[in-house]
Amino acid sequence: MIEIHNITKAFDGNLVVTGVSETIQKGEIFTIIGPSGQGKTTLLRILGLLERPTSGEVLLDGISVTGLPASDPNRRRIGMVFQNPVVFKDSVFHNIAIGLRYRGLPKEEIRKKVLQKLHEIGLSGYEHRNATTLSGGEKQRVSLARVMVTGPDVLILDEPTANLDPVSTEVIEDLIRYYNRVYNTTVILSTHDMIQGQRLADRVAVMMNGRFVQSGTIFTIFTRPCSVDVAKFIGIGNIIPGTIIRNEEGLSVILTHGSLIHAIGTFPVGTKVKIAIRPEEITIHTGPDRFSSARNVIAGTIEKIMPIGIISRVSVKSGDLILLAQVTWQSVRELDLRPGDRVYLSFKVPSVHIMPDEP
Amino acid sequence: MNDLLAGCETAIRLILTADPEVLNITIRTLQITSSSVGISAIFAIPLGAVITFRNFYGKRLLISIIQTLYALPTVIVGLLCYMILSRSGPLGELKWLFTPYGMVFGQTILIIPIMTGLTIAALQGIDPGITDTIRSLGASHLQFLKTHLREARFAIMAAIIVGFSRAISEVGTAVMIGGNIKGHTRVLTTAISLQTSMGNFSLSLALGIILLAIALIINLFMSFLQNR
């Protein structure tokens, strides 16, 4: 178990990490997501003991590891892989063996462990190759194996696939999952790729302005963002201001740009709020749908249709309210959707998330 | 042009006939230069590593001073060493003046700044990701330094080559500390200087060609090591 106690880091008086606290359980994959420049790398460098916090400490199974010398046995229980693949100007074998050599293991044991790791990362037979001649993805696999061969309890990865192609990214993600499941290694990973967070994480924290603004399961973060900034970051296309005008039977009715939207909420009447609705949750009809169970139905006119790969985003205007709906390219053709068409948008009450209206 | 051709011809003849005097001077040159380079490396490489990885007040100034000393005139080093090694100097009791030991001492002083500065440049050129990786793998202080030096080995080898080239080609220190005593402290550069002053241009040129040939062989050997 790794405990982060009120970590703060300032560079030249500028706070980069502000009072971050969290407990990460043994064997958990904990992902930190957030835009670039929000302190993710600095926090990970503190957890990887490459940077000393200005205040606070990191505990590993109850033992403070902050400030320990690099060769301390407890310090050596934490391994780190960086964004840019790092290899030494040496053979692949030497690259993977180096951490074991630091630990003074016998040659034969080193050889056995290195060959096993080469097999795990799919680079058997590469041991004599010069590591600098490998591709970016292969180098990152070597970087991962170099850490994992030392058997760390905690694996820290700072945007490990940020510079890799999709195929290499998938290989690295598979390896991360493999090491987590087979060796029960605790994984702390940062990424600005939300989908990667979704694919890998047991739990996610969103880091903004040097602090964890929200943490929880990926489902919570993706469906119940705590703020407009988080909602924007996770890609919720519709974030609309409104006012609670009524609360009835556990539902709030929100007035937004002249339209009424129903949502589950507990904000008092009169509260100014922001509502978030994923375009994927909105269904588009060319006429009123009598069979739909959706409570929210808004009639409007198509403003524009924006194709994004095999899907299309349809912008619909209803009075001053503009909503984005997401449909497949096939649906656009079948419904013969065109700008200027009159359509009906429907979405269910749980699809609407109410957030406090922040400046 | 005739002198040049004659010089080449003489050089080939001296090499092929293994002229005892030239052989003696060449071996002494190699002994003195390689000793200076070896001793300098022992001091300069760890010193360069310490300066690179330690943070201290005046570090930038110190590096600038070291880099300035690349241009140290050999006669100034010779003069300083002469004063240090002369009977009344602080190391006079060693009686190294006009001995090969004194010449090694002088050349070492001359090339330590170059080798230190180039070691610093070599280590500073290492990708910061390598440093982070070494630290995160739990290296001790000694392992940290050794891995960095290994990583920068090609650039450090280049520093050694530059130090060797500077030492083998310098004449100021060799003359002032060694005194160009035949059979004792005469090296290729001092012999060239002497032969030139005596008007034996072709012999001077021949010795110069031999000196360059040695430098070429050493460089080729180092390149071979780098490519391995």
Side-chain angles (χ1 to χ4, degrees):
Chain A
M1 185 172 74
I2 191 159
E3 293 165 77
I4 308 165
H5 281 312
N6 204 20
I7 292 283
T8 295
K9 178 72 183 177
F11 291 108
D12 300 324
N14 295 321
L15 276 173
V16 178
V17 178
T18 314
V20 171
S21 295
E22 189 61 62
T23 300
I24 300 156
Q25 298 300 329
K26 171 77 183 156
E28 190 178 9
I29 300 185
F30 183 78
T31 301
I32 303 168
I33 61 172
S36 299
Q38 303 296 310
K40 297 192 298 291
T41 296
T42 305
L43 177 64
L44 287 189
R45 287 177 65 82
I46 291 168
L47 299 182
L49 311 179
L50 294 175
E51 208 79 64
R52 271 187 171 222
T54 307
S55 65
E57 64 177 348
V58 180
L59 302 182
L60 182 57
D61 293 335
I63 303 160
S64 176
V65 286
T66 306
L68 285 179
S71 55
D72 184 277
N74 279 309
R75 164 71 185 77
R76 284 179 167 177
R77 293 169 61 196
I78 301 172
M80 188 160 179
V81 173
F82 304 92
Q83 182 176 339
N84 292 320
V86 176
V87 291
F88 296 98
K89 289 174 191 159
D90 235 306
S91 68
V92 170
F93 185 94
H94 174 86
N95 265 275
I96 300 178
I98 192 164
L100 298 176
R101 289 188 176 136
Y102 289 161
R103 285 153 179 78
L105 263 70
K107 270 188 181 175
E108 197 41 48
E109 198 179 336
I110 290 177
R111 186 173 166 71
K112 210 173 121 190
K113 283 178 180 253
V114 171
L115 292 181
Q116 187 199 341
K117 279 289 164 289
L118 276 169
H119 175 70
E120 285 173 0
I121 62 169
L123 291 180
S124 290
Y126 279 58
E127 54 267 36
H128 300 300
R129 281 268 295 268
N130 187 330
T132 56
T133 64
L134 300 177
S135 70
E138 288 169 340
K139 282 180 184 170
Q140 197 64 312
R141 277 191 263 169
V142 168
S143 303
L144 189 55
R146 182 172 50 216
V147 173
M148 288 313 298
V149 78
T150 63
D153 292 320
V154 181
L155 171 64
I156 296 169
L157 302 119
D158 183 13
E159 304 200 19
T161 59
N163 298 325
L164 302 184
D165 60 83
V167 176
S168 300
T169 297
E170 201 180 326
V171 174
I172 293 292
E173 286 178 2
D174 286 345
L175 282 170
I176 293 167
R177 259 192 299 267
Y178 170 79
Y179 287 128
N180 170 255
R181 284 179 192 158
V182 174
Y183 298 96
N184 199 29
T185 310
T186 307
V187 176
I188 305 173
L189 168 97
S190 78
T191 181
H192 59 253
D193 176 359
M194 292 166 306
I195 309 303
Q196 182 170 68
Q198 191 174 15
R199 281 193 298 261
L200 289 175
D202 294 319
R203 220 151 46 88
V204 175
V206 183
M207 193 162 189
M208 285 179 172
N209 298 318
R211 62 179 79 231
F212 284 172
V213 289
Q214 189 174 6
S215 68
T217 63
I218 196 79
F219 180 79
T220 309
I221 304 283
F222 272 55
T223 57
R224 297 279 173 264
C226 69
S227 68
V228 173
D229 285 341
V230 175
K232 277 183 186 164
F233 176 70
I234 61 171
I236 295 184
N238 298 301
I239 301 166
I240 313 150
T243 308
I244 309 275
I245 57 161
R246 220 170 42 241
N247 282 319
E248 52 191 29
E249 296 167 7
L251 293 185
S252 296
V253 180
I254 305 130
L255 177 65
T256 172
H257 296 300
S259 298
L260 293 179
I261 291 176
H262 294 78
I264 299 166
T266 53
F267 287 94
V269 171
T271 310
K272 289 199 178 301
V273 293
K274 286 268 170 64
I275 55 173
I277 313 160
R278 286 192 168 276
E280 303 91 303
E281 303 275 6
I282 299 179
T283 311
I284 198 162
H285 314 270
T286 47
D289 185 359
R290 272 173 273 160
F291 303 106
S292 171
S293 61
R295 185 100 179 227
N296 294 299
V297 179
I298 292 173
T301 309
I302 295 178
E303 268 205 319
K304 54 185 170 182
I305 300 169
M306 296 156 281
I308 309 165
I310 59 159
I311 57 151
S312 290
R313 282 206 164 176
V314 182
S315 169
V316 176
K317 196 168 190 298
S318 172
D320 289 333
L321 176 67
I322 296 172
L323 281 173
L324 286 174
Q326 188 164 299
V327 290
T328 61
W329 171 77
Q330 189 65 20
S331 300
V332 173
R333 283 186 65 182
E334 282 173 5
L335 296 170
D336 192 24
L337 300 178
R338 293 166 195 274
D341 286 358
R342 181 87 175 152
V343 289
Y344 293 84
L345 302 178
S346 66
F347 45 97
K348 294 182 175 180
V349 166
S351 304
V352 186
H353 174 57
I354 311 175
M355 299 171 292
D357 186 15
E358 294 157 345
Chain B
M1 192 64 191
N2 285 342
D3 280 342
L4 269 174
L5 287 174
C8 292
E9 198 184 312
T10 310
I12 292 164
R13 185 171 47 77
L14 289 173
I15 293 165
L16 290 178
T17 58
D19 181 85
E21 172 65 8
V22 173
L23 198 64
N24 191 286
I25 292 172
T26 306
I27 289 169
R28 190 176 306 111
T29 303
L30 278 173
Q31 283 173 337
I32 291 172
T33 306
S34 48
S35 301
S36 326
V37 171
I39 294 166
S40 299
I42 289 169
F43 287 103
I45 295 171
L47 181 65
V50 168
I51 292 171
T52 307
F53 295 117
R54 291 264 170 180
N55 287 320
F56 53 89
Y57 186 75
K59 180 172 168 172
R60 278 193 180 181
L61 179 67
L62 178 65
I63 293 173
S64 297
I65 291 170
I66 289 169
Q67 287 167 342
T68 306
L69 292 178
Y70 293 0
L72 200 60
T74 56
V75 283
I76 296 293
V77 176
L79 177 65
L80 283 171
C81 291
Y82 186 92
M83 290 162 77
I84 291 167
L85 297 176
S86 64
R87 197 171 290 177
S88 56
L91 297 179
E93 282 192 13
L94 292 172
K95 294 183 179 163
W96 279 1
L97 200 60
F98 306 125
T99 68
Y101 297 112
M103 293 167 79
V104 169
F105 178 76
Q107 287 188 351
T108 302
I109 300 289
L110 183 72
I111 63 174
I112 273 184
I114 297 172
M115 286 173 64
T116 307
L118 293 180
T119 300
I120 292 169
L123 293 171
Q124 283 179 337
I126 291 177
D127 174 7
I130 289 280
T131 303
D132 285 340
T133 300
I134 295 169
R135 287 174 65 203
S136 73
L137 286 169
S140 66
H141 288 304
L142 190 60
Q143 288 165 338
F144 178 89
L145 284 180
K146 276 168 73 178
T147 312
H148 274 93
L149 291 174
R150 187 183 166 96
E151 189 64 12
R153 61 194 179 277
F154 301 131
I156 289 172
M157 218 175 266
I160 293 171
I161 293 172
V162 173
F164 183 88
S165 306
R166 171 86 159 146
I168 203 170
S169 60
E170 74 85 22
V171 66
T173 312
V175 165
M176 293 183 79
I177 310 294
N180 196 24
I181 302 164
K182 188 179 179 184
H184 186 52
T185 58
R186 183 164 296 169
V187 288
L188 283 167
T189 50
T190 56
I192 291 167
S193 172
L194 178 71
Q195 294 302 330
T196 306
S197 66
M198 289 166 65
N200 293 331
F201 297 127
S202 57
L203 184 57
S204 297
L205 262 175
L207 292 171
I209 290 166
I210 291 170
L211 190 146
L212 279 174
I214 291 169
L216 178 68
I217 290 164
I218 299 289
N219 272 296
L220 287 175
F221 177 67
M222 290 294 200
S223 296
F224 168 73
L225 286 183
Q226 279 185 339
N227 289 329
R228 274 186 69 193

